[in-house]
Amino acid sequence: MEAVKERETGIADVNENQYLTFMLSGEEYGVDILTVQELRGWEDATPIPNSPSFVSGIINLRGVVVPIINLRDRFGLENRAFDATTVVIIVKLAGNDRERVLGIVVDAVSEVYSISGSDLKPPPDMDGAISIEFVKHLATIDNKMIILLDINRLINEGIFSKKETADLDVHEISVEE
Amino acid sequence: MRKKLSVTNNEVEMLDGHMLMSTTDLKGVITSCNSEFIEISGYTEQELIGQPHNVVRHPDMPAAAFKDLWETVQEGNPWVGQVKNRCKNGDYYWVTANVTPLTENGHVTGYMSVRYKPSRAEVSAAEALYAQINAGKATLQGTGKPSMQERMDNVGIRRLFHSLMAILFVMFAAVSIFINNLLTHAGEGTDVTLEVFGSFIGMYALLFFGTRVMVEKKVLPAIQIIEENLTELAEGNFQAAINVHRQDRCGDALRSLKVLQIRQGFMVNDTQQQATRMLRIKTALDEVSSNVMIADGDFNIFYMNNAAQALMENAEKDFRKDLPNFHANQLVGTCIDVFHKDPSHQRRLLGALTSSYASKDMNIGGRVMRVVANPVCSESGDRVATVVEWIDRTEEVAVEKEVQGIVEAAMAGNLSERIATEDKNGFFAALSGGINALVDVSERVIDDTLRVLGAMSQGNLTESIDGDYEGQFGTLKENSNTTVHVLRDLIGKVRMTATDVSNGVVEIAGGNATLNDRTQTQAASLEETASSIEEMASTVQQNADNARQADQLAVDAREQAEQGGKIVSQAVVAMSGITESSNKISDIISVIDEIAFQTNLLALNAAVEAARAGEQGRGFAVVAGEVRALAQRSAEAAKEIKGLINASVESVNEGSELVDKSGEALDVIVQSVQKVSDIIAEIAAAGQEQASGIDQINQAIAQMDSVTQQNAALVEETTAASQTLEQQSNDMQKLVSAFELGDVTEEEELVAKKLKKMAAKAAVPKKAASKKTKVRANSKYASQNDDWEEF
């Protein structure tokens, strides 16, 4: 209730963090808004040979090569066709040595919520669509459960291994070159 | 002493050549008489033999005549004279009687009379003389030779010669006078008279002297010799010596006498031999058991043997009923006419007899007699006798009649009669006993049969014949018993059948009653049906009208449906226009929606930027939120519009489809209406057919009605008939129950039970059967239990 109030007023507390929520297979997930670079509508990505299947391709985002990750594919969910309303969330992560930018394809973006730390609850010991190791907190807003993801971990450990990351980095570099 | 007997003036003349012979004892009692005597006297032999000879004495005869007769014969001399005799019936007859004593060894043992027919002159002379004697005017004198004999004895041959000469003289004189008279009457003269007298005197003188010499020298000694020899003959001595060598007239006479002696001796001897033979035959005939009677040529009975005599005496009483003049003791000497009411017939019959004749049975006074007659003829063929054999068949016929009576009684169904056997012997006893036994058996058999049949006629079938019978009687018994048995069986079955019939009849009666009800119900239903059919007819008419209207309506409907089809086409066009517009609106809405999406993304990006800006981006975030809100609202609106448009497009599509369907439906309707129209036409035609059909139905119902009426009548008759039948079957049951069947044997009982079971099975429905099975099942268990108990 409190969060809604804050969202309506648009005034965030000091203890509050803003989360961008998206829909994936009927469940609402949230990521820290500060990890989000921007939101884009779906546009065709250039496929990359020898890449995992969950990598839909790469796009050129204002000179930056951004890999597009199909989360549904990554987590073994049923694939759906991408259309005009399919949204790609471009996230920017601070890696060990450099920043990483990549797009994740979600069903739809939902809201921007301001959630105070007291409203965060530890994840339960059970898996949902996304493995529990990538969930940071659970939050309840307007009687609906929002799963807050640890995007860093998801990207670094869930999506890219070191090698993969390295490959991607090389590739990123080569694209940059 | 003798009663006065009536006499008549009828004279019976003796026949020429007939001799009436009789012998009497010394007292004048008749010891024998010949048939002529018997015949003319009118008495029977029995009436004459043993009677004094004066039974035939006529009252006109003077006693002096008989005195003279008796005196003469008692002196051993023969008597000759005319005698008037009386017949039994009072008539009289004249005879010239010669009575002579019969001597044996010089003693008179009886008298014999031989009578000839006298001349009329003799008769009239005697008649006159006896009349005078009776009148006391004359005495008996010179009536016969006795006086002459007496005189001869007294005067001797010489006086006799003189007397004879004197008589001759007188006779010569008389003859002379007589001739003279004749000549005188003839007209001769008196001269002749003298000549005649002279010649007569001369002749007489010659005769007188010649004769005297001859008589004295020759005649008297010769007569003496002849007399001696004749006396010997008269005494029956045929062996006296007769000198046949004398050569004179006396010798001739003696030779003739010798011939007479020999001949007579032979004849007497022969006669004696014949008599002996006859005696033997007669004795034999006397003793034979056949009843023999012999009549002479004039049918006078002269012999009857002992059996015949016994028979006649025995039958005398009976014979007299028919023949009042019959006397058994007087038959000998009587004519056989005594046996017949119509003697002439019998005489003709017997007279014409040439061979043996056997009569039929004759009933004489209750005796049944049969006569066998045989004619006896002499060598010359003259009929001399008739042998009659009498057969008394009275007893035989009585037995015959008795047997016939029994047989007729038996034939007439009376078996209670028996022949008395006490008075019978020999064959008749055996025959009677046999017939009685036969009738006994028959009576027992018939009584038994009668008893059984009588019981049967009373409806009692329990009787049977138990006696022991053989042969056909046994068969009769067997058959009677079998008949009763079979009848009893049959009646038993009939009785059961009658019960079944009765039940059946009751069912029939019930069924008939039901049928009657149903028939009446049917009749009522038929009436209802008839009225219904009338209603139906009007309904059909109405249907026809309706069909016409419906046809009209169908035509209208088709037109309207066609019109509706056109309108639907127009509506389809309009709908497609709406769809087009809606699609355009939908496109526009999509654009708006895209714009709203993009705006939302932008606003979110702005919110991301604002968040990154921190405190500085706060205001910006608010704006971004507002934009996002707007974008979302427009997206929602667009979504709503899109939904509405989609809905309307869908509705229009649906409407279009519906309109299409309406068009198709209208087409179908048009076709259907067409079909309806056709069908209605058919209905109209069908109505017409129905109308005619209903007419036929009406006729059929009328027929059914009449048939039902007939059925009803018939059912009533059947009901009546079944009631009658019921009555009859009851009667039949009563009738059958009138039979008494007694104890039914096991076998029959079994048969009856079987029949009953069959009848029950046929009549009782399946329930009974199921019951039975139940019972059986129970019994099965029961038996099993028993088994268990036994275990």
Side-chain angles (χ1 to χ4, degrees), chain A residues 12 18 36-39 84 111, chain B residues 597 604-605 611-612 618 628:
Chain A
Q18 282 189 314
V36 178
Q37 183 181 308
E38 65 175 283
L39 299 167
E111 272 309 330
Chain B
F597 177 73
L604 281 172
N605 280 321
R612 210 173 282 151
R618 222 171 251 249
R628 262 191 63 229

Side-chain angles (χ1 to χ4, degrees), chain B residues 94-343:
Chain B
W94 280 99
V95 295
T96 299
N98 302 278
V99 183
T100 182
L102 293 172
T103 58
E104 269 179 38
N105 304 322
H107 297 289
V108 175
T109 54
Y111 306 100
M112 175 192 277
S113 301
V114 179
R115 301 168 188 81
Y116 303 104
K117 183 183 178 183
S119 67
R120 293 318 297 170
E122 285 170 333
V123 167
S124 46
E127 207 163 17
L129 177 65
Y130 291 153
Q132 282 180 338
I133 292 170
N134 280 337
K137 291 172 186 168
T139 56
L140 189 65
Q141 201 173 13
T143 47
K145 284 163 186 173
S147 56
M148 222 161 126
Q149 180 76 32
E150 199 176 46
R151 219 168 291 161
M152 266 176 70
D153 285 350
N154 291 338
V155 299
I157 195 78
R158 201 176 296 270
R159 284 277 299 273
L160 182 64
F161 172 72
H162 288 298
S163 302
L164 196 63
M165 282 303 119
I167 292 163
L168 278 171
F169 180 77
V170 174
M171 281 172 66
F172 270 81
V175 170
S176 305
I177 292 162
F178 182 67
I179 293 167
N180 187 43
N181 284 346
L182 283 173
L183 295 170
T184 310
H185 281 296
E188 300 287 338
T190 48
D191 303 338
V192 182
T193 311
L194 284 176
E195 284 173 23
V196 170
F197 280 137
S199 63
F200 266 100
I201 288 164
M203 278 171 68
Y204 178 71
L206 272 173
L207 189 65
F208 181 78
F209 290 108
T211 310
R212 185 173 174 175
V213 171
M214 193 182 69
V215 166
E216 283 195 354
K217 298 284 183 187
K218 294 280 185 183
V219 174
L220 285 178
I223 287 172
Q224 186 68 35
I225 293 167
I226 291 167
E227 189 189 352
E228 285 168 5
N229 285 309
L230 280 173
T231 306
E232 293 283 337
L233 272 176
E235 285 184 353
N237 183 5
F238 302 107
Q239 283 142 26
I242 295 171
N243 183 11
V244 293
H245 305 294
R246 199 171 152 150
Q247 295 299 321
D248 57 1
R249 292 291 293 182
C250 181
D252 291 344
L254 286 171
R255 276 189 291 278
S256 294
L257 196 62
K258 184 64 185 177
V259 170
L260 178 66
Q261 186 200 32
I262 294 165
R263 207 183 154 87
Q264 205 64 25
F266 174 79
M267 279 175 68
V268 166
N269 192 29
D270 191 47
T271 307
Q272 275 177 348
Q273 282 182 356
Q274 279 192 5
T276 310
R277 277 208 301 276
M278 288 299 287
L279 186 67
R280 285 203 294 263
I281 292 169
K282 182 178 175 296
T283 311
L285 201 56
D286 279 344
E287 299 304 327
V288 295
S289 62
S290 288
N291 310 306
V292 180
M293 182 182 274
I294 308 176
D296 60 19
D298 293 325
F299 304 114
N300 290 313
I301 299 162
F302 67 85
Y303 174 78
M304 282 168 65
N305 70 354
N306 295 340
Q309 186 65 40
L311 168 67
M312 290 303 163
E313 281 168 10
N314 195 19
E316 183 175 32
K317 208 171 167 186
D318 293 328
F319 280 14
R320 279 204 186 148
K321 289 176 196 162
D322 279 349
L323 307 165
N325 293 326
F326 180 84
H327 295 285
N329 291 326
Q330 296 170 11
L331 279 175
V332 173
T334 336
C335 181
I336 58 166
D337 292 351
V338 74
F339 287 111
H340 220 286
K341 289 173 184 171
D342 180 14

Side-chain angles (χ1 to χ4, degrees), chain B residues 400-411:
Chain B
E400 272 177 21
K401 277 190 178 164
E402 223 170 342
V403 170
Q404 195 181 359
I406 291 284
V407 169
E408 277 174 1
M411 278 161 69

